[in-house]
């Protein structure tokens, strides 16, 4: 998983989701509205999905629901609650702008 996340972190934002998760759609939509082109990986459609989900559960310290899991600049930020809190507190956009990536905000 660490190698995969490292490779995926070439995108400013990487979101691990499942295809039928309403909260995943909410987080993905938020980043779209902010003009962020995130890399989205649907664990239920990836052959290595169960392995990645176990690693995300370990990193997030919770199970079974670990999605969405959001990485910004290769660092785990968290799930829906953390992303929405950052956004409502006005901290998400500055975090994205400070990530050193070219983001359309």
């Amino acid at each position: 998983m660490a190698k995969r996340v490292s490779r995926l972190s070439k995108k400013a934002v990487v979101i691990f989701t499942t295809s039928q998760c309403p909260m995943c759609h909410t987080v993905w939509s938020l980043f779209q509205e902010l003009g962020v082109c995130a890399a989205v990986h649907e664990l239920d459609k990836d052959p290595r999905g169960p392995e990645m989900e176990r690693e995300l559960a370990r990193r997030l310290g919770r199970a079974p629901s670990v999605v969405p899991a959001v990485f910004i600049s290769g660092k785990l930020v968290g799930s829906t609650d953390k992303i929405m809190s950052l956004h409502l507190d006005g901290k998400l956009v500055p975090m994205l702008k400070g990530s050193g990536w070219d983001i359309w905000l």
Side-chain angles (χ1 to χ4, degrees):
M1 177 72 176
K3 287 183 181 179
R4 185 170 175 97
V5 170
S6 177
R7 281 184 294 167
L8 293 176
S9 65
K10 292 182 176 159
K11 282 279 201 179
V13 177
V14 178
I15 307 171
F16 290 92
T17 70
T18 57
S19 59
Q20 299 300 315
C21 170
M23 298 313 291
C24 296
H25 179 74
T26 298
V27 168
W28 174 75
S29 295
L30 171 63
F31 282 106
Q32 275 195 316
E33 289 173 18
L34 294 174
V36 176
C37 182
V40 178
H41 299 278
E42 293 181 331
L43 298 177
D44 56 334
K45 294 185 178 180
D46 190 307
R48 293 183 45 209
E51 174 189 347
M52 291 187 283
E53 193 163 10
R54 281 190 299 277
E55 179 61 19
L56 289 167
R58 185 188 68 76
R59 289 181 183 213
L60 287 168
R62 67 180 191 200
S65 178
V66 298
V67 293
V70 178
F71 288 76
I72 298 176
S73 292
K75 295 179 184 172
L76 176 62
V77 176
S79 192
T80 306
D81 52 348
K82 180 67 175 180
I83 297 302
M84 297 312 269
S85 291
L86 287 168
H87 182 59
L88 292 172
D89 290 342
K91 296 177 181 175
L92 183 60
V93 169
M95 178 186 285
L96 291 164
K97 287 182 177 180
S99 68
W101 294 88
D102 187 18
I103 298 174
W104 295 93
L105 293 176

